[in-house]
Amino acid sequence: MTLGVALAQTNAVNYVDDTVEQSRAVADHGVKSVWFGQRSDYDSPLLAAIVGREVPGLEVGTSAIPVVGRHPQLVSSLAQTAQAATHGRYHLGLALGSTLAARAFGLPFDKPIARLREFLTGLRELLDTGTADFHGDLLTVTPSMPTAVPGAQPRVPVLVAAMGPQALRVSGELADGILPYLAGPKTLSEHIVPALTAAATTPQRIVAFVPAVVTADVEATRAKAVEQLAFYEQIPSYRRVLELEGATRAADLAVIGDEETVAAAIRRYYDAGATEVVLSATDLAGPADQIRTWKLLGELSR
């Protein structure tokens, strides 16, 4: 099994130092990869590069950078630098973004699928050839100097947080895989995997992100999950996959219980078509249960 953990610090003294320390602990328990979301404070590719440099052998990824407000050339430079810093252990995750993400840059959130297609087209050209000559309706990518970073090998894998039919079609054509979140096994097997496979020209990675924690305090942890994950219920793309799964709340997709419960749920995601599983929200029940969860992932990885 290829298993990973999504990390986010709370009450950090130094966000980078604390993340490196936590990532080292994750690796010590046998977990193979750590992933970082893109927020409004830290830069996720830079954080991934530092962690990958400090923790040899650990795969690092970002999940996910909204393409709205970004440009393919800048993202290519960040990703290739992270790839060189980690000696080939970096994974670039992108997302369409949202009205909220666009507003931060004073931009409208319009034509998201067209923007994703143009962004991926320009980015692939940069990563594949070290330059680009792309002229789209929304983006132009025509660097005046070479863009390849020495040591950024193999080519940075590009994955998209795609779950809707149009985004899956574009991702299948232009990316290396997807990063679905809150998409349960039923939704994966009946909707997401078939749509991606139909559009794909090459084998695709399906990295399923699943909120999960090993704990004996199921009731209290479930209540905390209801509170912390409620935000996603307001976002149409997440609301759609929840409905497809037959869930009413985002917390319904959280896997909370003992080792056997969490391990069985992880296997269901693999059976549904996931090629990798990344657990998020492992801190819901506190530090001791977070470590308990990492230990389980390490054991399953072995």
Side-chain angles (χ1 to χ4, degrees), residues 265-287:
I266 289 172
R267 291 188 182 94
R268 286 195 293 273
Y269 277 89
Y270 281 105
D271 291 342
T275 61
E276 302 159 56
V277 174
V278 176
L279 298 192
S280 66
T282 59
D283 60 346
L284 275 173

Side-chain angles (χ1 to χ4, degrees), residues 91-92 120 123-124 127-128 155-160 170-179 196 200-207 275-276:
H91 307 259
L92 172 63
L120 289 174
L123 179 63
R124 274 191 59 159
L127 295 176
D128 288 344
R155 180 180 71 80
V156 178
V158 180
L159 305 108
V160 181
V170 173
S171 300
E173 295 172 6
L174 297 171
D176 301 302
I178 59 170
L179 305 162
L196 181 68
T201 56
T202 59
Q204 295 284 295
R205 292 170 58 188
I206 301 172
V207 186
T275 61
E276 302 159 56

Side-chain angles (χ1 to χ4, degrees), residues 23-243:
S23 299
R24 190 172 284 119
V26 168
D28 287 344
H29 285 100
V31 182
K32 303 302 183 184
S33 69
V34 294
W35 295 74
F36 309 104
Q38 179 61 56
R39 307 192 317 197
S40 297
D41 45 10
Y42 66 77
D43 180 81
S44 57
L46 179 55
L47 183 62
I50 294 170
V51 168
R53 192 80 171 178
E54 292 287 325
V55 189
L58 188 65
E59 301 284 325
V60 290
T62 56
S63 178
I65 303 170
V67 299
V68 61
R70 269 82 175 180
H71 189 275
Q73 187 173 334
L74 297 179
V75 171
S76 171
S77 296
L78 283 168
Q80 289 189 75
T81 303
Q83 184 74 320
T86 61
H87 294 269
R89 289 178 281 118
Y90 175 69
H91 307 259
L92 172 63
L94 300 173
L96 279 77
S98 63
T99 301
L100 189 65
R103 190 182 302 143
F105 295 97
L107 299 171
F109 185 61
D110 58 350
K111 301 180 179 179
I113 299 299
R115 182 173 297 278
L116 176 65
R117 179 176 290 280
E118 292 191 8
F119 196 101
L120 289 174
T121 301
L123 179 63
R124 274 191 59 159
E125 199 170 331
L126 291 168
L127 295 176
D128 288 344
T129 71
T131 187
D133 187 19
F134 174 74
H135 301 264
D137 294 329
L138 302 172
L139 293 169
T140 297
V141 188
T142 56
S144 58
M145 299 174 65
T147 61
V149 176
Q153 299 296 330
R155 180 180 71 80
V156 178
V158 180
L159 305 108
V160 181
M163 297 188 292
Q166 295 184 74
L168 288 168
R169 186 179 307 116
V170 173
S171 300
E173 295 172 6
L174 297 171
D176 301 302
I178 59 170
L179 305 162
Y181 177 58
L182 294 178
K186 176 184 175 183
T187 304
L188 275 180
S189 64
E190 296 182 4
H191 299 277
I192 291 178
V193 173
L196 181 68
T197 302
T201 56
T202 59
Q204 295 284 295
R205 292 170 58 188
I206 301 172
V207 186
F209 279 67
V210 184
V213 60
V214 177
T215 181
D217 195 358
V218 175
E219 186 174 340
T221 305
R222 177 74 61 185
K224 188 174 290 187
V226 169
E227 179 183 345
Q228 290 194 9
L229 300 178
F231 164 78
Y232 295 99
E233 298 161 13
Q234 313 305 314
I235 301 174
S237 60
Y238 291 109
R239 192 165 60 244
R240 174 181 173 273
V241 293
L242 291 174
E243 292 171 354

